[in-house]
Amino acid sequence: MTKKVCLALQGGGSHGAFTWGVVDRLLEEDIYVEGVSGTSAGAMNGTAIVEGSLKGGNPEAKKLMRLFWEAVGEEGRLSPFQPTVGDAIVGNEKLDNNPVYQIFRQVSHTVSPYQSNPFNYNPLEDIVNKVFTFNEVADQFERKLFLCATHVKEGKLKIFKNHELSAKALLASACLPMLHQAVKVNGEYYWDGGFVGNPAIFPLIYECESTDIIVIQLNSAYRGDLPVDALSIGDRLNEITNNLSLMREMRQIKFITDLIDTGAIPKENLKRVNMHLIRDDETFQPLGFSSKLNATPEFLEHLHAAGRRAAERWLEKHWEGVGKTSTADHSLYEEYK
């Protein structure tokens, strides 16, 4: 029996290759993806999933995701943001020892991309225009896509929906303000959606029929060691802030679901949602923020393989629960006690 689900995909730069691996494995099951909400790399994956599915179902979605990430990897071969030879030998995927990255970290605090990149070159733009056509997604509403971006002037969440889809909207969802100039879409300026919705879940509840939402989380929720040096403190702050909106929204969903289950709210008044969560702290804890800029093909394939393994573990444990109950570990996003 086909299981209809929605996907909520976090952003995280090249770490999005993990999501590629997870979804790559999920699409081998009898599954129908009705809607996807994605931010940054999650928006890229989401566009590939929805556009590919419309062109040829799950097999075509798998092909389009691979086409996108292979294009990213080819560009990554030319990037100055790569692990040093020594780090590569020992398997350290961070860029912290890369002199170009070290200069970037220092300069980005004082020089904006409007100064350092006046012509606003973004290699991702060529990839997006090469891989995606957008027409299939924009002209229908059977498969729904929600791209999350931050409205710069108002600081509010902007959701680009099917009819608004374009290369600019997709790039807006992935615009890191320290790397690229704000993206202008229909006269308004946008940054990466991770600041206010990473990703937003509510569009999947309001505008999709499916009662099951699978969240794929890229930012570690838990770390056992106390960060004490500047780099590790910065990395942990990045993880916390990138998880904040997701955790708050999942906490609210859990609260409403409990009210429905206890009869405090009549079932016919609100849609009951089953939440599922796929994450792999073991893969991401050794990585820091800098590795999100590491787009070498070897690293992307490593994350893809890790994603497939994580999906396999989740399927073995939770697949039967889809369509019946929530399988997410609520303790991960409940208030600390």
Side-chain angles (χ1 to χ4, degrees):
M1 179 179 176
T2 301
K3 297 194 177 187
K4 181 185 286 189
V5 303
C6 290
L7 302 177
L9 311 179
Q10 269 200 335
S14 63
H15 290 185
F18 174 86
T19 298
W20 165 35
V22 170
V23 179
D24 191 50
R25 175 62 187 89
L26 293 181
L27 292 177
E28 294 170 2
E29 299 297 317
D30 191 4
I31 190 172
Y32 180 93
V33 179
E34 179 191 3
V36 183
S37 177
T39 298
S40 195
M44 302 293 167
N45 281 316
T47 302
I49 294 164
V50 175
E51 185 172 308
S53 297
L54 290 169
K55 289 180 176 179
N58 292 357
E60 194 62 32
K62 286 165 61 70
K63 289 180 182 178
L64 201 56
M65 279 194 297
R66 175 164 285 281
L67 181 63
F68 171 78
W69 286 104
E70 286 183 346
V72 172
E74 286 303 310
E75 189 66 37
R77 292 185 190 276
L78 307 175
S79 172
F81 292 143
Q82 300 194 29
T84 63
V85 175
D87 283 336
I89 291 175
V90 299
N92 180 12
E93 305 292 354
K94 296 181 181 181
L95 306 180
D96 298 335
N97 296 322
N98 180 309
V100 177
Y101 177 74
Q102 291 176 346
I103 293 172
F104 162 73
R105 285 187 65 248
Q106 296 298 322
V107 172
S108 63
H109 292 292
T110 55
V111 179
S112 84
Y114 295 85
Q115 299 167 303
S116 61
N117 186 12
F119 297 105
N120 201 24
Y121 172 68
N122 183 354
L124 193 57
E125 184 170 6
D126 292 335
I127 295 173
V128 165
N129 285 313
K130 175 184 175 182
V131 174
F132 303 118
T133 60
F134 302 106
N135 294 333
E136 289 86 356
V137 181
D139 293 341
Q140 60 78 54
F141 296 96
E142 177 186 352
R143 308 251 191 178
K144 300 177 178 65
L145 181 62
F146 307 98
L147 307 182
C148 306
T150 302
H151 189 281
V152 178
K153 293 182 179 180
E154 295 186 359
K156 295 180 179 180
L157 174 65
K158 166 64 178 177
I159 303 291
F160 290 102
K161 302 181 182 181
N162 290 51
H163 66 283
E164 301 172 292
L165 189 60
S166 66
K168 287 295 184 182
L170 186 52
L171 291 169
S173 181
C175 177
L176 292 174
M178 303 310 294
L179 273 177
H180 303 293
Q181 298 178 23
V183 178
K184 187 177 183 180
V185 184
N186 296 328
E188 301 294 333
Y189 290 93
Y190 299 95
W191 283 337
D192 190 294
F195 301 110
V196 289
N198 195 19
I201 299 177
F202 68 86
L204 302 174
I205 299 176
Y206 296 159
E207 302 192 34
C208 295
E209 294 180 0
S210 173
T211 58
D212 287 78
I213 299 174
I214 302 175
V215 178
I216 302 177
Q217 186 176 6
L218 300 181
N219 296 282
S220 293
Y222 175 81
R223 282 191 178 271
D225 297 331
L226 178 69
V228 294
D229 61 80
L231 279 176
S232 59
I233 290 172
D235 287 348
R236 187 56 181 153
L237 283 173
N238 177 265
E239 289 173 338
I240 291 171
T241 54
N242 275 276
N243 277 331
L244 185 59
S245 62
L246 174 65
M247 294 301 177
R248 283 179 172 172
E249 201 167 2
M250 291 186 72
R251 189 180 304 129
Q252 292 166 355
I253 293 169
K254 174 65 164 55
F255 176 71
I256 298 297
T257 301
D258 288 344
L259 291 177
I260 295 173
D261 290 345
T262 58
I265 298 177
K267 292 182 178 180
E268 59 271 16
N269 289 1
L270 286 175
K271 176 180 176 181
R272 190 191 183 285
V273 177
N274 297 321
M275 295 300 299
H276 312 279
L277 179 64
I278 301 178
R279 58 195 280 267
D280 184 4
D281 284 352
E282 186 176 340
T283 290
F284 288 109
Q285 284 191 359
L287 305 176
F289 171 81
S290 66
S291 66
K292 293 182 178 182
L293 300 179
N294 177 1
T296 57
E298 297 78 14
F299 184 47
L300 300 181
E301 289 291 348
H302 163 73
L303 290 174
H304 172 262
R308 284 189 61 89
R309 290 192 298 271
E312 190 68 47
R313 293 191 297 269
W314 182 84
L315 286 166
E316 291 176 0
K317 189 174 182 180
H318 297 302
W319 181 240
E320 291 302 317
V322 175
K324 302 175 183 176
T325 185
S326 292
T327 64
D329 182 357
H330 302 308
S331 66
L332 297 173
Y333 49 85
E334 288 179 341
E335 184 177 350
Y336 181 76
K337 297 179 181 178

